[in-house]
């Protein structure tokens, strides 16, 4: 949820820390702060609000000098946004400073113990406990930093990524993690830590990913990683291939709009390498044909937009491959005590690969002997490392909080899996496989054509942005698309919106329709055209205004809708990839019309690394 950065080297740390935080602000933006060691002490600057407030503060404070430092941009969990609750947190003498991403679940008993030992607290946060507990252990045991941090993390429960600087060890930056992302960036005569690669891409492309309960001891000219036994661990340096420009706006007003326009390339990068000689190749899945033929059930687990991908995946996989699919919201998965079938797999979908609930679901599946498959965008992320196999989406960095291209590329993986399983299980022949492959390869070009004709959506957004309530309806795959459209509108425009399976309207929800109610109708499935038209007429006769997304072949609905967006024809199984584009654009332009911060919607952060 929060963003962490750190630097040790020869240059002034403060500008580098703030530069990194500016690339991480999508992870949290209600306050920010830095701590820099210089002139024999740790100097701290913290500010409530957006990062610009901190920038101005640091610029005016000449004491923030030094070549070792840590920084933090916050998404509040414990305590309201305020200067005292902002990170970094520190001990009474300011010889220890800590930044933290995550939640310390047992902070209350730890805090009570420290209070009994005479410690006082200035904030409401769980993180301040970490700084004081480090102080307590240093004084009680007089151990080395490595020994003391080891004692610390064996006492902490929950999830955390920690950056730590110590006034008594001004040549070293320390970092550790459990269930929250953290990487070490390797430079020349300098090194970095960051929650996410965009924070350091301008400085280095070489990173080491720290595993759970490992401690990084980072000097300007070397990095050592230790386990809980104090043994040094050999780690592989990974090179990030993303262009620096991929994490910049490149002339677009917002990251979200840029990322909407990047979808054709992201889809092509994700789909094309997995099609060889007209056939799907998924060797990375790590399953033999016999294992695929024996599959009895697939569990798909995800959160938010990734969950909506799973809903779509269920429809496509069940129709093509005839394998029963269960789709679960990750935060509910463990708590319903799922019954795992023999010869099943669990697919975990996550853009960041660090989503806390999804990671917990993955571990639950593994504990029950189920093969896990991660579908993630971030190389070396926790879900990627812990899954039995991983299928990467090649979307590149996604900065806007509201996902677009990550959603679309995850969807394409569901299509690939469905066709791949169906062919191996003998549910489709080579002719049908070839047709579906060609349709998949055509998706990027069709989306490009749609993005070149967005004026109707812009105009409609300028008329409907004052709506207080919006309803989305659809059947089958269109219902899956409507779920995502509704979420996009909620996330960035703050308009209340709900999604209903259209067949459920008569079972109570049609009572919500009144004169002028906006109903967004998704209708791309030819077998359901007549039923969707009937549903649309039902709500229209009760005063609803209809904004429809459909194909030109759906003549009755095109004629009856108040406003209609025509999308390219494709195989009905892949239509969601087309219809989500106008839904994304509508949400974007409505938010823009309301004068809101499209990339940083209130109360939300990009990567949800706490449960």
């Amino acid at each position: 949820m929060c963003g962490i950065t750190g630097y040790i080297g020869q240059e002034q740390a403060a500008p580098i820390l703030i530069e990194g935080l500016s690339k991480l602000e999508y992870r949290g933006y209600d306050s920010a702060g830095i701590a820099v060691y210089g002139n024999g002490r740790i100097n701290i600057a913290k500010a409530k609000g957006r990062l610009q407030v901190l920038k101005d503060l640091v610029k005016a404070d000449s004491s923030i000098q030094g070549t070792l430092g840590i920084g933090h941009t916050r998404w509040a969990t414990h305590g309201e946004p305020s200067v005292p609750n902002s990170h970094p947190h520190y001990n009474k003498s300011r010889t220890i400073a800590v930044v933290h991403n995550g939640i310390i679940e047992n902070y209350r008993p730890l805090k009570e113990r420290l209070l009994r030992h005479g410690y006082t607290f200035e904030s409401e946060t769980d993180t301040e406990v970490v700084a004081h507990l480090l102080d307590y252990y240093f004084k009680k045991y007089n151990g080395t930093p490595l020994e003391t941090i080891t004692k610390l993390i064996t006492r902490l429960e929950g999830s955390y990524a920690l950056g730590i600087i110590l006034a008594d060890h001004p040549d070293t930056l320390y970092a550790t993690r459990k269930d929250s992302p953290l990487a070490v960036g390797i430079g020349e005569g300098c090194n970095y830590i960051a929650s996410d690669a965009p924070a350091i891409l301008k400085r280095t492309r070489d990173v080491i990913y720290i595993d759970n309960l490992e401690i990084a001891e980072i000097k300007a000219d070397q990095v050592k990683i230790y386990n809980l036994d104090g043994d040094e661990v050999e780690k592989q340096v990974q090179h990030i291939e993303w262009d620096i420009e991929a994490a910049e706006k490149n002339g677009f007003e917002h990251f979200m709009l840029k990322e909407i326009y990047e979808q054709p390339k992201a889809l092509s990068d994700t789909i094309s390498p997995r099609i060889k000689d007209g056939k799907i190749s998924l060797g990375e899945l790590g399953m033999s044909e016999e294992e695929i033929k024996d599959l009895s059930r697939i569990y798909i687990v995800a959160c938010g937009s990734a969950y909506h991908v799973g809903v779509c995946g269920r429809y496509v996989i069940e129709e093509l491959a005839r394998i029963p699919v269960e789709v679960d919201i990750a935060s509910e998965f463990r708590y319903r005590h799922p019954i795992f079938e023999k010869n099943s797999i669990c697919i975990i979908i996550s853009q960041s690969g660090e989503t806390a609930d999804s990671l917990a679901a993955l571990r639950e599946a593994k504990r029950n002997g189920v093969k896990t498959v991660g579908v993630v965008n971030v190389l070396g992320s926790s879900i990627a490392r812990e899954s039995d196999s991983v299928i990467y989406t090649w979307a590149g960095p996604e900065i806007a909080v509201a996902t677009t291209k990550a959603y679309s590329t995850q969807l394409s993986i569901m299509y690939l899996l469905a066709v791949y399983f169906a062919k191996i299980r003998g549910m489709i022949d080579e002719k049908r496989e070839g047709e579906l492959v060609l349709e998949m390869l055509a998706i990027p070009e069709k989306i490009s054509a749609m993005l070149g004709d967005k004026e109707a959506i812009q105009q409609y957004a300028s008329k409907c942005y004052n709506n207080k309530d919006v309803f989305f309806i659809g059947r089958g795959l269109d219902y899956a698309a409507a779920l995502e459209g509704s979420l996009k509108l909620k996330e960035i425009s703050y308009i209340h919106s709900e999604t209903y399976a259209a067949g459920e309207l008569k079972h109570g929800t049609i009572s919500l329709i009144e004169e002028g109610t906006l109903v967004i109708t998704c209708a791309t499935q030819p077998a359901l055209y007549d039923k969707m038209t009937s549903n649309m007429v039902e709500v229209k006769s009760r005063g609803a205004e209809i904004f429809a997304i459909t194909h030109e072949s759906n003549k009755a609905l095109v004629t009856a809708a108040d406003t209609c967006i025509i999308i390219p024809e494709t195989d009905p199984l892949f239509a969601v990839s087309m219809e989500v584009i106008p839904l994304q654009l509508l949400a974007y332009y409505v938010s823009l019309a309301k004068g809101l911060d499209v990339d940083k919607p209130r109360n939300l952060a990009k990567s949800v690394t706490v449960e």
Side-chain angles (χ1 to χ4, degrees):
M1 307 288 271
C2 305
I4 290 175
T5 188
Y7 170 78
I8 184 167
Q10 311 306 317
E11 300 180 55
Q12 286 296 313
I16 295 171
L17 296 173
I18 289 176
E19 174 189 277
L21 292 178
S22 71
K23 307 302 183 187
L24 293 175
E25 201 176 4
Y26 62 90
R27 297 180 66 93
Y29 36 85
D30 58 39
S31 61
I34 61 172
V36 175
Y37 178 84
N39 300 319
R41 64 192 295 262
I42 295 174
N43 298 290
I44 293 169
K46 305 198 289 187
K48 176 184 174 182
R50 294 295 172 90
L51 187 61
Q52 186 60 48
V53 182
L54 178 67
K55 288 181 183 178
D56 295 340
L57 178 64
V58 170
K59 189 176 181 181
D61 188 348
S62 60
S63 70
I64 309 296
Q65 301 287 319
T67 59
L68 165 66
I70 50 178
H72 187 272
T73 180
R74 182 173 186 249
W75 188 90
T77 55
H78 293 74
E80 66 180 7
S82 68
V83 172
N85 289 333
S86 304
H87 298 217
H89 290 285
Y90 43 85
N91 62 337
K92 185 176 181 179
S93 58
R94 292 202 181 194
T95 58
I96 298 168
V98 176
V99 290
H100 167 221
N101 171 28
I103 287 181
I104 306 302
E105 294 177 352
N106 63 331
Y107 86 99
R108 290 186 185 277
L110 293 174
K111 183 174 183 178
E112 289 168 3
R113 179 183 176 187
L114 289 165
L115 287 168
R116 290 195 296 271
H117 284 279
Y119 285 85
T120 59
F121 289 78
E122 297 182 7
S123 76
E124 305 166 80
T125 69
D126 54 337
T127 305
E128 192 178 358
V129 167
V130 175
H132 290 312
L133 195 59
L134 273 171
D135 180 271
Y136 174 76
Y137 284 148
F138 271 119
K139 289 174 177 174
K140 182 174 182 178
Y141 297 105
N142 195 31
T144 66
L146 184 61
E147 291 167 341
T148 306
I149 294 170
T150 299
K151 283 185 173 66
L152 169 79
I153 63 178
T154 57
R155 290 299 312 277
L156 300 181
E157 297 174 8
S159 65
Y160 51 82
L162 300 173
I164 302 166
I165 59 173
L166 308 169
D168 294 336
H169 299 269
D171 64 342
T172 310
L173 168 63
Y174 295 93
T176 187
R177 70 173 287 263
K178 176 179 175 287
D179 295 342
S180 287
L182 195 65
V184 178
I186 308 301
E188 294 185 9
C190 59
N191 291 300
Y192 311 83
I193 62 170
S195 299
D196 207 351
I200 54 176
L201 272 182
K202 185 176 178 181
R203 302 277 172 172
T204 181
R205 302 285 190 87
D206 295 323
V207 300
I208 294 172
Y209 291 102
I210 306 172
D211 284 316
N212 275 348
L213 300 177
E214 291 181 339
I215 302 168
E217 187 181 74
I218 306 162
K219 299 181 184 293
D221 58 354
Q222 70 176 23
V223 174
K224 293 184 177 181
I225 312 294
Y226 297 92
N227 61 23
L228 286 178
D229 294 323
D231 298 326
E232 189 173 351
V233 180
E234 286 192 21
K235 305 291 286 188
Q236 181 180 357
V237 177
Q238 300 192 30
H239 186 74
I240 297 172
E241 299 292 345
W242 294 342
D243 294 330
I244 295 173
E245 291 76 13
E248 305 291 343
K249 289 182 184 174
N250 286 354
F252 285 90
E253 186 175 357
H254 296 97
F255 279 111
M256 183 176 178
L257 187 61
K258 171 178 175 278
E259 288 157 9
I260 288 172
Y261 273 79
E262 287 175 340
Q263 286 176 110
K265 182 181 185 302
L267 281 163
S268 183
D269 289 346
T270 300
I271 295 170
S272 296
R274 295 177 167 108
I275 295 177
K276 297 174 183 177
D277 300 323
K279 298 184 181 301
I280 294 170
S281 175
L282 286 177
E284 62 223 278
L285 186 61
M287 293 181 69
S288 68
E289 290 194 2
E290 285 307 311
E291 287 176 309
I292 292 170
K293 288 175 182 177
D294 289 342
L295 273 174
S296 61
R297 188 167 298 271
I298 296 174
Y299 306 91
I300 300 178
V301 184
C303 302
S305 292
Y307 169 75
H308 300 157
V309 169
V311 174
C312 182
R314 175 178 61 196
Y315 285 113
V316 179
I317 292 170
E318 287 190 339
E319 178 163 338
L320 283 176
R322 307 306 296 161
I323 305 169
V325 179
E326 293 183 19
V327 185
D328 276 272
I329 296 170
S331 58
E332 292 293 311
F333 184 65
R334 286 178 297 158
Y335 305 113
R336 73 174 178 87
H337 303 292
I339 300 169
F340 292 100
E341 288 192 19
K342 187 180 178 182
N343 299 328
S344 60
I345 61 171
C346 185
I347 300 173
I348 312 291
I349 309 174
S350 167
Q351 184 276 140
S352 67
E354 302 290 350
T355 311
D357 289 311
S358 299
L359 192 53
L362 181 152
R363 291 168 179 163
E364 178 71 10
K366 291 190 77 168
R367 274 194 295 270
N368 284 272
V370 174
K371 177 182 171 63
T372 55
V373 179
V375 177
V376 301
N377 191 48
V378 179
L379 187 72
S381 56
S382 294
I383 290 174
R385 292 197 306 272
E386 294 192 29
S387 296
D388 295 309
S389 59
V390 58
I391 303 175
Y392 284 107
T393 57
W394 301 115
E398 187 177 66
I399 306 301
V401 168
T403 183
T404 52
K405 61 178 181 174
Y407 170 89
S408 290
T409 52
Q410 290 165 354
L411 203 54
S412 71
I413 297 296
M414 294 297 103
Y415 299 158
L416 288 164
L417 284 169
V419 176
Y420 185 66
F421 287 160
K423 180 61 173 62
I424 288 174
R425 291 167 64 90
M427 298 300 168
I428 58 173
D429 58 19
E430 285 192 9
K431 181 175 181 294
R432 177 62 170 149
E433 178 191 24
E435 293 169 350
L436 291 168
V437 164
L438 288 175
E439 287 289 350
M440 269 190 277
L441 290 170
I443 289 172
E445 186 177 346
K446 290 178 180 179
I447 290 176
S448 291
M450 294 172 66
L451 291 170
D453 185 22
K454 62 184 187 302
E455 284 71 21
I457 297 170
Q458 285 179 278
Q459 291 172 9
Y460 191 77
S462 67
K463 298 175 184 175
C464 74
Y465 71 91
N466 279 324
N467 277 275
K468 301 297 183 187
D469 300 284
V470 178
F471 299 107
F472 289 72
I473 60 173
R475 289 174 181 259
L477 280 162
D478 290 320
Y479 171 65
L483 287 168
E484 178 61 11
S486 175
L487 179 60
K488 283 291 149 290
L489 192 65
K490 278 185 278 205
E491 283 179 316
I492 63 172
S493 76
Y494 317 148
I495 294 173
H496 169 253
S497 66
E498 299 287 348
T499 306
Y500 295 108
E504 283 291 290
L505 284 171
K506 296 189 190 71
H507 298 277
T509 53
I510 202 167
S511 65
L512 298 170
I513 304 299
E514 56 188 28
E515 191 68 33
T517 301
L518 176 56
V519 176
I520 297 177
T521 304
C522 298
T524 66
Q525 304 297 299
L528 297 169
Y529 279 173
D530 291 343
K531 292 186 184 300
M532 281 305 304
T533 301
S534 296
N535 292 135
M536 191 189 73
V537 170
E538 287 170 353
V539 294
K540 190 172 183 180
S541 67
R542 288 159 176 83
E545 179 182 343
I546 305 298
F547 178 92
I549 299 171
T550 191
H551 298 301
E552 192 171 2
S553 57
N554 192 356
K555 303 293 185 183
L557 193 141
V558 170
T559 302
D562 297 295
T563 302
C564 193
I565 301 298
I566 302 297
I567 64 172
E569 299 280 351
T570 185
D571 189 286
L573 292 171
F574 304 151
V576 174
S577 290
M578 309 298 169
E579 65 187 315
V580 76
I581 303 301
L583 293 173
Q584 293 170 350
L585 288 169
L586 182 64
Y588 173 80
Y589 286 115
V590 167
S591 179
L592 206 61
K594 294 182 72 172
L596 302 174
D597 191 334
V598 174
D599 287 335
K600 302 183 183 77
R602 68 187 183 198
N603 302 332
L604 298 178
K606 182 67 176 173
S607 181
V608 183
T609 56
V610 297
E611 292 187 56

